[in-house]
C-alpha cells in the first residue's frame, strides 16, 4: 500500500471554483481573493484579513511595516521552519532564538529572559497547529516592566508603544484558544500559511490577520497593506483594467506579493467546507491517539489542553528514549512499507545557514530533544480506517525492529 504524506484535498467543487476563475477571463488579484479574505475573516474572527502569495512574504511585509531596522531584535523559537527567522533577516532585523517547551512551542520564560531594549517583535509559532500561551505572552508585552524597557525605532513602533506580537500561525488555521477564541484573532497580527500541504491551501499563499489595538484602524491598515503588497501602487490590476482606469501612482517602497484569483479559488472552496475537513483531521488524530497512547514508548502530541485545541495539522509522534540515529532507522523501516512520514522540524541552529550565524543547538536542549525522537505521521481528511490501521502497524513494527 502506498500512502503519501500530505496530498491536498481536491473535490469537484474545488475544481469547479478554479474553472470558474479561468473562464471569467480574470485570474490575478480580484473578486475571488476578496471572497477568500472575507471567509477567513469570518471564520477566524480577525478584524481584517489580507491574502498574499506566501506566509514568508506576508511576515516580511509586516516586519517592514513595523519599521524593523538594522540592530532591531525579533524573538523567534529555535524549533520551527527556517522561514520564521529568515523573514526577520529579509526585513533587516536580527532574530533572537529561544528554546521551546515539551509541547513543541516557544517558552514564555525564555521570551522573558531574551527581551532587551532592542526587542521590537515576538514571533511565536503554533507548532503542528497547537496554540502557544498567548495570554501569558500578551500579558508580558503589556507589563509595565517590559513596556518600560521598550525603545521605538519607527513611527509605527512609537504609535504601538510596546513589542508587537506576530503569531506565526502557519499551522493553526482552525485552532482555538481560551474561551473559544480562534487563532488569527488573539494577537496583534497573525499570518496563516495556505501552502500546498496546509489544512487549507491556495497551492501557494498566506493570509495576514490584523487585530492591531487602538489607536490603529485595522480597516485603514488593510488598505495600506493591500497597496504595499502591490508595489505601493494606487490601483490594482483589476481596477486599472477598467475602461479609462489606466492612471496610477507609486506612493512608497512596497513589495509584489499579491495573491492571484486562480489560487484563491482553491482556498475559497475549501474554506466553505473547512469545519467538515477539520472534523476529519481530528478523526485521524484521535485514531492515532487511541493506538499510541497505550504504548509505553510513545509520547502523543498535545491536542486539547487547558482550553486550547489544535488545528490537527500534524501528528507529531515522539518515541521515548531513542537517539536521532534510531529515529532515522525507524523512518527507513516505515518507508519500506510504502508509508511516507516526515520530521517537523530540524531545529534552525542545526542548519548550515544559522550555524554560520553563530547559533548552536547545544543552547536549545529542549528543541533538540523534541526533534531527535519526532516522526510526523500522515494526517488528512482522505485517510480511511484501513489506511490508518496500515500506518499504525507500520510504525509499531518499525519500532519493534529497530529498538526491541
Amino acid at each position: 500500500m502506498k500512502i503519501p504524506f500530505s496530498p491536498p484535498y481536491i473535490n469537484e467543487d474545488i475544481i469547479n471554483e478554479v474553472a470558474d476563475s479561468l473562464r471569467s477571463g480574470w485570474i490575478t488579484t480580484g473578486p475571488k481573493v476578496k471572497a477568500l479574505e472575507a471567509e477567513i475573516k469570518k471564520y477566524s474572527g480577525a478584524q481584517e484579513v489580507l491574502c498574499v502569495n506566501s506566509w514568508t512574504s506576508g511576515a516580511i511585509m509586516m516586519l517592514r511595516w513595523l519599521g524593523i531596522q538594522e540592530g532591531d531584535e525579533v524573538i523567534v523559537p529555535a524549533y520551527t521552519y527556517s522561514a520564521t527567522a529568515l523573514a526577520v533577516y529579509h526585513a533587516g532585523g536580527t532574530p533572537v532564538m529561544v528554546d521551546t517547551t515539551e509541547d513543541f512551542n516557544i517558552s514564555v520564560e525564555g521570551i522573558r529572559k531574551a527581551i532587551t531594549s532592542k526587542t521590537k517583535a515576538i514571533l511565536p509559532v503554533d507548532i503542528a497547529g497547537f496554540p502557544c500561551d498567548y495570554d501569558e505572552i500578551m500579558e508580558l508585552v503589556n507589563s509595565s516592566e517590559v513596556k518600560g524597557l521598550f525603545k521605538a525605532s519607527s513611527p509605527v513602533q512609537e504609535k504601538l508603544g510596546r513589542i508587537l506580537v506576530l503569531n506565526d500561525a502557519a499551522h493553526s488555521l482552525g485552532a482555538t484558544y481560551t474561551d473559544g477564541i480562534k487563532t488569527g484573532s488573539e494577537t496583534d497580527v497573525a499570518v496563516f500559511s495556505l501552502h500546498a500541504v496546509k489544512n487549507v491551501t491556495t497551492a501557494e499563499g498566506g493570509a495576514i490577520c490584523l487585530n492591531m489595538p487602538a489607536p490603529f484602524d485595522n480597516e485603514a491598515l488593510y488598505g495600506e497593506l493591500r497597496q504595499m503588497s502591490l508595489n505601493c501602487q494606487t490601483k490594482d490590476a483589476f481596477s486599472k483594467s477598467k475602461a479609462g482606469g489606466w492612471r496610477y501612482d507609486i506612493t512608497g517602497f512596497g513589495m509584489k506579493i499579491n495573491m492571484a484569483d486562480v489560487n484563491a479559488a482553491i482556498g475559497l472552496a475549501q474554506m466553505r467546507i473547512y469545519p467538515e475537513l477539520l472534523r476529519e483531521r481530528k478523526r485521524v488524530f484521535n485514531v492515532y491517539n487511541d493506538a499510541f497512547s497505550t504504548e509505553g514508548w510513545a509520547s502523543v502530541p498535545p491536542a486539547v489542553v487547558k482550553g486550547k485545541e489544535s488545528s490537527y495539522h500534524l501528528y507529531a509522534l515522539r518515541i521515548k528514549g531513542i537517539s536521532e540515529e534510531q529515529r532515522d532507522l525507524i523512518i527507513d523501516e516505515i518507508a519500506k512499507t510504502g508509508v511516507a512520514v516526515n520530521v517537523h522540524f530540524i531545529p534552525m541552529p542545526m542548519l548550515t545557514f544559522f550555524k554560520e550565524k553563530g547559533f548552536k543547538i547545544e543552547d536549545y536542549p529542549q528543541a533538540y530533544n523534541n526533534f531527535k525522537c519526532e516522526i510526523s505521521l500522515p494526517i488528512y481528511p482522505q485517510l480511511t480506517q484501513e489506511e490508518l490501521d496500515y500506518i499504525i502497524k507500520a510504525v509499531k513494527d518499525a519500532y519493534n525492529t529497530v529498538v526491541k
Side-chain angles (χ1 to χ4, degrees):
M1 189 180 294
K2 298 288 185 182
I3 300 178
F5 179 69
S6 186
Y9 182 87
I10 304 294
N11 64 10
E12 285 302 312
D13 288 341
I14 294 168
I15 293 170
N16 290 336
E17 195 71 42
V18 175
D20 180 68
S21 182
L22 294 172
R23 292 190 185 103
S24 74
W26 190 263
I27 59 174
T28 188
T29 307
K32 290 198 186 296
V33 171
K34 292 290 288 183
L36 177 59
E37 290 171 347
E39 288 286 344
I40 296 175
K41 177 179 175 179
K42 178 181 177 182
Y43 183 84
S44 68
Q47 294 298 305
E48 295 291 340
V49 173
L50 174 70
C51 285
V52 290
N53 64 355
S54 73
W55 180 94
T56 305
S57 59
I60 294 168
M61 185 173 72
M62 292 312 302
L63 291 171
R64 288 183 177 178
W65 167 80
L66 181 63
I68 293 295
Q69 301 175 17
E70 184 177 354
D72 286 346
E73 296 176 349
V74 178
I75 295 173
V76 302
Y79 191 85
T80 180
Y81 182 60
S82 59
T84 309
L86 292 177
V88 179
Y89 283 123
H90 279 298
T94 301
V96 175
M97 293 188 196
V98 166
D99 206 359
T100 60
T101 60
E102 287 189 11
D103 70 358
F104 293 101
N105 287 338
I106 193 168
S107 163
V108 177
E109 185 55 33
I111 292 173
R112 186 189 307 275
K113 292 177 179 178
I115 290 173
T116 71
S117 60
K118 296 180 180 179
T119 305
K120 301 303 189 293
I122 301 169
L123 266 69
V125 183
D126 300 330
I127 299 291
F130 186 68
C132 296
D133 295 320
Y134 290 109
D135 283 346
E136 295 179 40
I137 293 171
M138 295 307 296
E139 182 179 348
L140 179 63
V141 300
N142 280 294
S143 68
S144 56
E145 178 186 357
V146 172
K147 289 179 79 171
L149 194 62
F150 180 74
K151 292 183 179 179
S153 58
S154 76
V156 171
Q157 294 171 25
E158 188 73 37
K159 187 175 180 179
L160 180 60
R162 61 164 172 79
I163 296 168
L164 179 87
V165 180
L166 194 165
N167 175 12
D168 179 343
H171 292 178
S172 58
L173 178 59
T176 55
Y177 200 63
T178 50
D179 300 323
I181 296 171
K182 291 272 183 67
T183 300
S185 63
E186 81 285 35
T187 56
D188 301 318
V189 179
V191 186
F192 294 126
S193 172
L194 303 174
H195 177 262
V197 300
K198 297 304 190 292
N199 289 20
V200 171
T201 181
T202 56
E204 294 284 355
I208 302 169
C209 299
L210 303 172
N211 307 286
M212 293 297 294
F216 290 92
D217 179 334
N218 287 292
E219 185 176 356
L221 179 56
Y222 167 87
E224 177 186 342
L225 293 170
R226 182 178 173 89
Q227 190 170 317
M228 190 176 179
S229 74
L230 287 159
N231 286 321
C232 284
Q233 183 173 285
T234 52
K235 285 185 180 178
D236 61 25
F238 191 69
S239 301
K240 281 174 61 186
S241 69
K242 296 177 181 178
W246 62 271
R247 191 178 293 278
Y248 63 89
D249 193 11
I250 300 293
T251 58
F253 182 44
M255 302 169 66
K256 183 63 168 65
I257 63 171
N258 56 302
M259 178 183 286
D261 264 24
V262 70
N263 293 88
I266 305 171
L268 179 59
Q270 288 191 351
M271 279 303 303
R272 289 170 179 157
I273 57 169
Y274 188 48
E276 176 187 336
L277 298 179
L278 193 58
R279 282 194 297 271
E280 289 300 297
R281 299 187 79 95
K282 184 174 182 178
R283 169 186 62 83
V284 173
F285 192 104
N286 287 338
V287 169
Y288 285 144
N289 261 12
D290 290 342
F292 293 112
S293 59
T294 56
E295 299 288 346
W297 49 265
S299 177
V300 300
V304 181
V305 181
K306 296 180 180 178
K308 300 189 293 184
E309 183 168 2
S310 176
S311 68
Y312 306 100
H313 174 59
L314 296 172
Y315 192 87
L317 178 69
R318 282 170 290 183
I319 299 174
K320 299 174 183 176
I322 64 168
S323 65
E324 185 181 343
E325 292 73 22
Q326 286 175 307
R327 187 273 312 281
D328 294 350
L329 289 172
I330 291 171
I331 290 175
D332 290 342
E333 289 296 319
I334 295 170
K336 292 176 184 177
T337 70
V339 174
V341 297
N342 212 320
V343 174
H344 291 83
F345 291 97
I346 301 173
M348 291 188 293
M350 296 179 69
L351 302 173
T352 299
F353 176 81
F354 297 101
K355 286 193 287 187
E356 291 176 349
K357 293 286 187 181
F359 294 102
K360 300 176 182 178
I361 190 58
E362 292 79 12
D363 296 331
Y364 311 97
Q366 188 60 57
Y368 182 74
N369 287 337
N370 286 338
F371 157 73
K372 73 181 179 69
C373 60
E374 193 272 343
I375 302 175
S376 299
L377 306 185
I379 177 169
Y380 45 89
Q382 306 95 301
L383 284 167
T384 65
Q385 186 61 48
E386 180 184 8
E387 289 171 324
L388 290 170
D389 290 341
Y390 185 81
I391 294 166
I392 290 163
K393 184 177 186 303
V395 174
K396 290 182 177 181
D397 288 350
Y399 171 82
N400 291 329
T401 298
V402 173
V403 180
K404 286 194 174 180

